[in-house]
Amino acid sequence: MGLIGSSVKRVEDKRFLTGKGKYTDDIVLPGQTIARIIRSPHAHAKIISVDTAAAESADGVIAIFTGKDLAGVNGVPCGWQVNFKNGDTMKEPAHPLLVADKVRHVGDGVAIVIAESYAQAKDAAEKIKVDYEVLDAVIDPRKAADDGAPLVHDDVPNNTAFDWQLGSDAGEVDEAIRSAHHVTTLEFSNQRLIPNAIEPRSAIGHYEEASDKFTLYTSSQNPHLIRLLLCAFVLGIPEHKVRVISPDVGGGFGSKIFHYTEEALVIWCSREINRPVKWTAERSESFLTDAHGRDHISKAELAFDADGKMTALRVKTYANLGGYLSTFGPAVPTYLYGTLLQGLYTTPLVNVDVTATFTHTTPVDAYRGAGRPEATYLLERLMDTAALELGIDPAELRFKNFIPAFDGVEQAGYQTQVALQYDSGDYQRILKKALDKIGYDQLRAEQKAARDSGKLMGIGFSTYIEACGIAPSAVVGALGARAGLFEVAQVRVQPTGKVSVYTGAHSHGQGHETTFAQIVADRFGIALEDVEVVHGDSESVAFGMGTYGSRSLAVGGSAIIKSIEKVIEKGTKIAAHKLEAAEADIEFADGKWSVKGTDKSVGFGDVSLTAYVPHDYPEGLEPGLDFSSFYDPANFTYPFGAHIAVVEIDKETGKVTLKRYLAVDDVGNVINPMIVDGQVHGGVAQGIGQALLEAAIYDESGQLINGTYMDYTMPRADDLVSFETDRTTTPCPHNPLGVKGAGETGTIGSTPAVVNAVMDALSAYGIWDPPMPVTSEKVWERIHSNGQS
């Protein structure tokens, strides 16, 4: 059928384009009530009292609960443990569903009002009076670790959740840097970002007294994990009593992976009042309570010998965790960050040291790329800065230091200095392709001409690698993960030959209903429309680990392939019986089982019907054609790429204009090129947003001062260009599809490429340190403070 590798239009788009998608907030249950959460206006304060008397008598109010009412309920847990370098256990303070004693960031939940309508809940919430004793706050992750800093949690000294180190011997790295021919040093902030999915988070808790069962509807990327955490760690409800449904989800970018307090809270409240309880975030709540991303402060030193070969890398990072540990918060600045600091390079010594601190800010967790963008930004800013300092072309400097090509089969995977073993890659080829496609020599000539005429044009590079499709459960378990990271798929062939696929991966924009159907239809030789893909319901899908980390095809797709193979294997037994031939003589292709070397065959539909109407059937073989599989990956997958950005800067205003953007990526085999291009486009847009526009800004008291769309600046269409994309293909050697993952590549590669382009333009003025976001104001100030006009 040729469906794998074809740009098939997304089958799910019809319902979205016609307004027929069904999101959590669209659901209205009989007797449904509306919840409003009263949130702290202070970043750090003791709760003296909560007066609910006036609100209790307000119209439509059904119940009000405060932190004291939930005193016996556990808070939401952390799903990843990272211990101190000396072996001490990670500090893991409670994250209550509602706070009873002391709030730790603006937006911390203090009470919940449940009413008949949204307006009544909101009106009643305004009548609740909370008396606070305001305390000093700390927002900087470095200052948080200082002696005497305000404590976020009284039992966490110096606000330090853990410190962590990985890589080569620190003494050897220090000596290599001391004796180096040249050392490039950068100190910078990888600023905090706020995810902004189109659909705000929403949750409905529904307790049914007659069955003593619960249903949670939630806008989550991870329904089965939410059920596991909610049942096992928060409310203590048996899992068979809880159904979690994540219907259509309007974007997530990582921010909807985690188990949030509101999910457990609406379930608890529903049981208390014996009615469904719905909560949907207002956009201002989303700014304050959706887990934020990034927020690192780093110093990095990269050493070179006289030939321009990298000899050592030393990194010290302070990572901001916010007020509490989010579900995967500890993993992001450690095992998803430090393990990628080898990059594409042969650097023989690499050491990274991370101190992770609590501050009086919103909790921080995975945001598109999750640690990989932070690592790539650090490395690639170092590389372009070093090229300027050494007087070497940035492409040439990379070619000098790239790891040689390897396919993971004939040439073994590449063992890094920071734990990972890359599966396959050809980094020279991808950069060469990018240089050819963008016309690099001509671009440099244009840049020289522009400079000669007084104009500022810059060319920036980023060559990246990421680890995705999270590695074997045993490996991540040893690294602190508190869950397995396998995936589950059930392939059910119906009697008529139609196929239902039940996957634990969850789609919130990735196009799973198309790409998974392409795999199944292609392997079975049936029409695409004969395949349905079901996800997001713990009652329909036995188990699953959700969608994040570019894992859906590499892990979820591989589980589907395992089940497909089981169907074909059983179908072969049935076909052999029908064709009166030995199983060894049967082959399956193009939707039929055939006897080798003959024209005798039986079609897919005939075999499926026989499986359910087993009148003429192999003796001892069970009826049916329905198989489930678990797939636990053998390794991460390692997409890589080369991105090039071209910018122009207006000296009079400091405005940076993106003129060209090229992304050449290698994501292994591609199922649907159009969907991959779409993923790249979206990721690049988000990465450009960080480079030029976006930052969450807190004042010293812990107030988020740009928590609305009026002042938090995300990229618009006129900030971008028509992106140019291309690919090379280096198949993954350890999964059956040969795929590597594409969802985060654009975000990982784009931010340093754009900032490097700005630096390249400003280097004519000796300005090599553009801080993110590189706003026009910052550029103008640097130009003019340097004596330029």
Side-chain angles (χ1 to χ4, degrees), residues 578-642:
K578 291 179 71 70
L579 294 169
E580 299 179 338
E583 282 184 50
D585 293 331
I586 302 294
E587 58 186 2
F588 179 77
D590 300 326
K592 60 185 178 183
W593 284 266
S594 304
V595 180
K596 296 175 185 176
T598 75
D599 59 359
K600 294 175 62 178
S601 65
V602 60
F604 186 80
D606 291 332
V607 167
S608 63
L609 183 61
T610 301
Y612 290 95
V613 186
H615 297 162
D616 180 19
Y617 205 66
E619 185 177 348
L621 188 66
E622 292 181 359
L625 209 51
D626 185 346
F627 289 97
S628 294
S629 300
F630 284 67
Y631 177 79
D632 207 6
N635 190 2
F636 291 93
T637 66
Y638 298 92
F640 58 93

Side-chain angles (χ1 to χ4, degrees), residues 196 283 287 705-714:
N196 275 283
R283 187 58 66 176
F287 272 93
I705 62 175
N706 63 335
T708 74
Y709 284 152
M710 295 294 289
D711 38 34
Y712 185 88
T713 311
M714 291 185 295

